[in-house]
Amino acid sequence: MKTFRVAPLEAMVVGLLSLCVVLPAFSQAQTDSYTWTTIVGTPGIGGVLDGTNTGALFNRPSGLALAPDGSLYVSEQTTYTIRKITPVGNDWVVTTIAGLAGALGSADGTNSDARFNRPSSIALDGAGNLFITDNYNDTIRKMTPVGTNWVITTVAGVAGSPGYDDGTNSQARFRRPQSIAIDAATNLYVTDRLNFTVRMLEPLGTNLVSSTIAGMASIYGDFVDGLNWNAQFNLPWGIALNSAGVLYVADFGNNAIRRIERIAPGWMTTTIAGFSGLVGTNDGQGNVAQFDSPNGITVDSDGTLYVTDQYNNAIRKLAPNGANWVVSTIGGVAGQSGTNDGVGSVARFYRPWGIAIDKNRRLFVADNFNGTIRMGVLPSAPILQVGWAAGYIVLTWPQATGNYVLETTASLGPGASWQPLTNGIAVAGANYVLTNSTAAGTAFFRLRKE
């Protein structure tokens, strides 16, 4: 363990305040430095070819669901199939598990005997069942694993019979159900896109009972917030659920991100980013940020949101900051499509769609028009954490090998000086640089308040 202290500290108040402001921003910048790579598919070459890595081919992949073992499930709208991507060592192996490429329909059945019509989104329950929003069939489908097979059934709605009715199983009607999420109690939440509503399907025995929890069928509006049917949406698209049961919706037509929280006597909808409703590219706090047709959304264990901003060809991050949300771009450049892999703004996307995140905060994106699946990985360098302990500001990062440099623009203030340290600390002007060359253990840098 290494401990570093500043002395004397009679004039450290100004520097200390600066440090508290700047260091969290530095840590945030590190977490935003995603490196993006293409793991399966070949950009611009569409198809339904199973295989490994870029040897596999996709045609407009849309929804993504991530399994506990690291496998990905992908809905492919224009080929009417469901694909599975299995990690095998450093490779990714793609297989088609349901539907038949080029053969649309609504038939239930096993594996390739089943038919879909533009399946758009996938959710996975704790038992390993998949739930699909079968968009053009206006139904919700279930895929049950039976041995090495998948048995597909229709659990809500009736194919070819769109509507807005709530009810049990086939009594319910949908109009282009778009995305789906599932909670620990196996309640399903669906964005009913052309009804401009959010629906809940609650299990009752072996049945699913549908109810409308936000919005009113056939009435759309400019991100009107409110309770239950008083809220209004314009083409609600992606939906995600955090660990507390709060729903987040990418409101495609309003260029906004909405929050839906269960409170007595119902569900309250509020807008958390994209308040203007105008098309744009701005990063910043909620009421400043802008989007262009956000469609996919996912949430990590800390409650941070990640959004595919489709027509901006970008991946956006929404980090909670008190009652506000701070939006940043972590992949791609707004208005620039392409296929490049790389870090942050070096990467390019082409109409990204579905998005999922794993426990290691790796992001997976269905890059729809490129026909690929992309992976975003955080840097291997330790991530700075900031805390307080016994009158000290404590900066800590995990054990790691190699040299790491911490930089900030915080001023130390007049009269402050550094104790000589053998591993090297240098001060130049209003900047300081701390170099940790330890190969093991946890290093700390501490500033004492006096």
Side-chain angles (χ1 to χ4, degrees), residues 296-316:
I297 189 168
T298 191
V299 59
D300 69 16
S301 58
D302 294 332
T304 300
L305 303 174
Y306 303 84
V307 174
T308 49
D309 197 5
Q310 190 182 57
Y311 279 53
N312 272 329
N313 299 305
I315 312 301
R316 315 290 291 277

Side-chain angles (χ1 to χ4, degrees), residues 110-280:
T110 302
N111 303 336
S112 60
D113 291 335
R115 296 290 182 268
F116 300 89
N117 193 351
R118 293 187 177 267
S120 61
S121 180
I122 303 180
L124 179 73
D125 72 10
N129 300 300
L130 298 174
F131 292 87
I132 317 290
T133 47
D134 198 1
N135 193 257
Y136 275 37
N137 275 329
D138 300 305
T139 57
I140 310 301
R141 315 288 292 278
K142 180 179 180 180
M143 293 177 53
T144 305
V146 179
T148 59
N149 297 311
W150 292 87
V151 177
I152 294 86
T153 55
T154 302
V155 294
V158 175
S161 182
Y164 54 81
D165 294 342
D166 287 325
T168 301
N169 302 336
S170 61
Q171 294 173 352
R173 294 291 186 272
F174 303 86
R175 196 178 298 273
R176 299 294 188 266
Q178 191 64 53
S179 294
I180 191 167
I182 190 168
D183 67 15
T186 325
N187 296 304
L188 299 173
Y189 302 90
V190 173
T191 51
D192 198 2
R193 180 168 54 102
L194 292 189
N195 276 326
F196 311 106
T197 58
V198 178
R199 314 280 292 274
M200 175 180 176
L201 285 79
E202 187 174 6
L204 183 63
T206 59
N207 298 313
L208 282 172
V209 180
S210 170
S211 60
T212 301
I213 63 172
M216 184 175 291
S218 302
I219 296 178
Y220 69 91
D222 294 334
F223 53 91
V224 175
D225 292 335
L227 188 67
N228 301 334
W229 56 83
N230 292 316
Q232 293 180 10
F233 300 84
N234 188 356
L235 303 178
W237 207 283
I239 190 167
L241 185 77
N242 74 8
S243 58
V246 177
L247 294 165
Y248 295 93
V249 172
D251 196 352
F252 184 90
N254 277 323
N255 300 301
I257 307 301
R258 317 291 294 278
R259 171 188 168 107
I260 307 175
E261 186 174 12
R262 194 171 206 164
I263 62 172
W267 297 80
M268 176 61 73
T269 298
T270 55
T271 302
I272 63 172
F275 289 81
S276 70
L278 300 176
V279 169

Side-chain angles (χ1 to χ4, degrees), residues 319-325:
N321 182 19
N324 299 310
W325 295 80

